Amino acid sequence: MFELVILSVLFSTAASGRYDPNWKSLDSRPLPTWYDEGKIGIFLHWGVFSVPAFGSEWFWWYWQEAKSPAYVSYMQQNYRPDFTYADFAPLFRAEFYNPFKWADIFQASGASYVVLVTKHHEGFTNWPSNHSWNWNAMDLGPKKDLVGDLANSIRIKTNLKFGVYHSMFEWFHPLYLQDKAKNFQTQDFVRAKALPELYELVNTYSPEIIWSDGAWEAPDTYWNSTEFLAWLYNDSPVKDTVVVNDRWGGNTPCQHGGFWNCDDRYTPGKLVGHKWEKCMTLDKYSWGFRANAKLQDILTIEELLSEIVSTVSLGGNILINVGPTSFGEILPVYEERFRQLGSWLKVNGEAIYKTNFWTYQNDSITPNVWYTSRTDGAQPVVYAILLAWPKTSSLVLGHPDVTSDTQISLVGYPGQLTFTALSMGGVEIAIPTIPANQMPCEWAWVLRMENLKNRHTKIRSDAFSKNVRPIEMRKDF
């Protein structure tokens, strides 16, 4: 009888799809489809570091620990001698913060999800955490629940998924420094701070992305990462829809987790056997707001679209970062980029959302051409995304093999384009003369190709796994 009870429990656990607190089990969880289909996210680095707005979001570290001359000089020239980093917190007021305005900008961008930094390495929490006494946005500065206000506005006004970034470690927290001094053989900081904050974030705000960071100094066993993720996948309020990244310990990036981002600005340059994400920032030099940033430091819309298109073509998602000001506004130049992106996606989104990578990623003959593919019903479609408009009346592509049934069109422009199959393979497409006021968009034009001979992908994007063999590609882009 006892054996029957044990077998019944084991069968029930397996049938319910529960995950064990080990990487073999956790890594077997399929990635929820909404994430792969959505492709584009917005990242927000916002915190006490937004007040000095100098250098980067690592201001405290560079000033106090690294003793960087530029940071030390900045403080000497602008603040009293006994000024501490904690003195910046009351100045983080977010007085113009309007989360509904932010939500409107994000919706207009065409992004599918947003990830807010809820706590960076400085330890200041943007929500009234029970585990960050007198070092949070309700006790100091804004006197608001910045996380909750944005989560609510996103859910009320948009169809975006809401996610949270959380730093596991804190540069100068006494418990963390104590554990570190003991070579992470103790877990006082994890039990008192890191994990309680994560459980609190999930139970309070039900985020559908947990973007972990700051775990690189210790292995995942120190952080009890698998214990948390097993709870997240089995019993949390977002167990069926949540996605996580791979930063759960110094040994986990590009090895374990939901999607991989491996490192900041990760760009593999080829197809990899796992779903991945490139996190990057519109300010080329900082993730947080810099008051002294120059216009040339900000990506142009052409540069941004190049980042997006090349990433999606390689099977990745892209997370586009901006740093709001300490007074709670997204600079007009960043709003402009988001709205420009949205206008482009309104025309060309079919070549981005819900797409797979194709057999080839970029063209063998014409540079700055990237491919994606999708299936509309039973009809496979291949897209060629041109980052530069052809300078002549024809365009030669080296990879698409056409037949008499092939149809090629310019997305957003009426009619079909004429073309000629090349004897060596590939196709020459006649490019019509289009008046400027009739162009479908201002940047990055998309060709839609139906009924190609080689229309199928070699590996579908829903087959991402560690066992998928990477496919090499041209690297001269």
Side-chain angles (χ1 to χ4, degrees):
M1 181 65 179
F2 178 75
E3 290 81 358
L4 289 176
V5 171
I6 294 296
L7 288 173
S8 176
V9 171
L10 290 174
F11 178 80
S12 176
T13 300
S16 66
R18 292 183 66 82
Y19 297 93
D20 297 324
N22 61 69
W23 287 118
K24 181 178 181 180
S25 178
L26 296 170
D27 288 343
S28 71
R29 178 180 183 259
L31 192 72
T33 56
W34 72 261
Y35 178 81
D36 179 53
E37 292 177 350
K39 306 298 183 187
I40 300 172
I42 291 174
F43 210 2
L44 299 163
H45 273 67
W46 199 29
V48 173
F49 52 80
S50 306
V51 177
F54 177 84
S56 82
E57 69 289 348
W58 278 54
F59 184 93
W60 194 3
W61 176 268
Y62 284 120
W63 172 36
Q64 292 291 338
E65 187 69 17
K67 307 294 184 184
S68 170
Y71 291 76
V72 172
S73 175
Y74 175 82
M75 290 303 298
Q76 290 174 343
Q77 293 177 23
N78 294 285
Y79 295 92
R80 67 179 189 268
D82 62 343
F83 198 93
T84 69
Y85 190 79
D87 291 326
F88 281 123
L91 304 178
F92 178 39
R93 299 191 182 99
E95 58 265 45
F96 299 131
Y97 176 44
N98 183 341
F100 285 97
K101 180 181 177 181
W102 285 22
D104 178 72
I105 295 171
F106 303 155
Q107 180 76 1
S109 75
S112 299
Y113 55 98
V114 59
V115 178
L116 173 67
V117 167
T118 62
K119 185 192 80 169
H120 202 255
H121 313 323
E122 64 189 13
F124 186 90
T125 64
N126 282 331
W127 81 99
S129 175
N130 293 321
H131 310 285
S132 189
W133 181 81
N134 207 38
W135 193 234
N136 66 74
M138 186 63 77
D139 291 342
L140 290 170
K143 304 292 180 70
K144 299 174 183 176
D145 181 356
L146 302 179
V147 177
D149 289 347
L150 185 60
N152 290 337
S153 68
I154 291 293
R155 287 165 176 152
I156 290 171
K157 197 163 185 178
T158 80
N159 57 6
L160 279 74
K161 304 287 188 180
F162 176 74
V164 296
Y165 165 110
H166 174 265
S167 175
M168 298 290 273
F169 86 146
E170 298 176 21
W171 287 314
F172 305 116
H173 195 288
L175 289 180
Y176 181 73
L177 295 178
Q178 175 183 290
D179 286 350
K180 186 176 179 179
K182 296 178 181 178
N183 200 29
F184 301 111
Q185 297 304 303
T186 57
Q187 294 178 295
D188 292 338
F189 177 77
V190 174
R191 295 192 178 101
K193 196 76 164 60
L195 280 184
E197 285 177 344
L198 278 172
Y199 285 108
E200 186 178 57
L201 279 169
V202 174
N203 285 319
T204 305
Y205 304 109
S206 297
E208 292 185 287
I209 302 169
I210 308 294
W211 213 101
S212 181
D213 195 18
W216 60 80
E217 291 188 335
D220 66 287
T221 50
Y222 167 73
W223 299 109
N224 287 340
S225 298
T226 56
E227 172 190 308
F228 169 74
L229 292 174
W231 170 82
L232 186 70
Y233 292 170
N234 292 327
D235 301 308
S236 80
V238 288
K239 60 185 177 63
D240 296 323
T241 56
V242 71
V243 298
V244 305
N245 66 341
D246 57 353
R247 300 185 185 188
W248 296 99
N251 57 318
T252 65
C254 263
Q255 296 294 324
H256 301 294
F259 60 90
W260 293 352
N261 44 45
C262 303
D263 202 354
D264 295 346
R265 301 179 178 87
Y266 175 58
T267 307
K270 63 181 180 181
L271 296 182
V272 295
H274 199 283
K275 183 63 187 181
W276 62 279
E277 178 187 79
K278 178 174 186 175
C279 63
M280 45 74 67
T281 183
L282 290 180
D283 181 342
K284 300 173 187 177
Y285 304 106
S286 176
W287 300 81
F289 170 65
R290 291 189 304 138
N292 60 335
K294 300 177 177 61
L295 184 61
Q296 59 263 35
D297 297 340
I298 311 301
L299 291 184
T300 65
I301 183 59
E302 292 88 354
E303 291 171 325
L304 175 59
L305 288 174
S306 177
E307 294 274 6
I308 292 171
V309 168
S310 59
T311 297
V312 173
S313 180
L314 287 165
N317 278 24
I318 191 163
L319 188 60
I320 306 164
N321 176 78
V322 297
T325 67
S326 66
F327 41 92
E329 290 203 330
I330 294 172
L331 288 187
V333 66
Y334 297 138
E335 178 178 351
E336 179 184 55
R337 291 295 174 274
F338 286 141
R339 293 189 183 277
Q340 287 173 326
L341 172 59
S343 70
W344 184 83
L345 286 167
K346 281 184 178 178
V347 176
N348 302 296
E350 66 176 272
I352 301 295
Y353 304 123
K354 298 184 179 180
T355 57
N356 301 316
F357 47 80
W358 190 41
T359 306
Y360 306 94
Q361 284 65 65
N362 57 337
D363 197 65
S364 59
I365 295 177
T366 301
N368 296 318
V369 176
W370 294 86
Y371 294 104
T372 61
S373 68
R374 67 184 296 155
T375 300
D376 288 346
Q379 175 60 57
V381 177
V382 175
Y383 297 95
I385 307 175
L386 320 179
L387 295 180
W389 186 255
K391 295 181 180 180
T392 63
S393 59
S394 65
L395 173 70
V396 175
L397 298 179
H399 288 310
D401 287 337
V402 296
T403 71
S404 59
D405 295 325
T406 297
Q407 294 182 315
I408 302 178
S409 60
L410 176 64
V411 173
Y413 186 75
Q416 301 293 315
L417 305 183
T418 59
F419 57 87
T420 303
L422 301 178
S423 58
M424 60 182 178
V427 62
E428 182 175 3
I429 304 168
I431 302 298
T433 301
I434 305 175
N437 63 352
Q438 295 180 26
M439 290 289 282
C441 58
E442 298 181 62
W443 330 273
W445 301 266
V446 178
L447 297 178
R448 177 186 173 103
M449 297 178 286
E450 303 173 64
N451 298 318
L452 293 178
K453 185 185 300 183
N454 57 343
R455 60 186 180 268
H456 297 292
T457 60
K458 286 185 178 178
I459 305 174
R460 291 180 50 83
S461 65
D462 57 7
F464 276 119
S465 75
K466 289 185 67 176
N467 298 320
V468 174
R469 183 179 177 183
I471 298 176
E472 297 292 336
M473 58 165 288
R474 292 176 66 238
K475 295 185 174 69
D476 58 342
F477 55 86

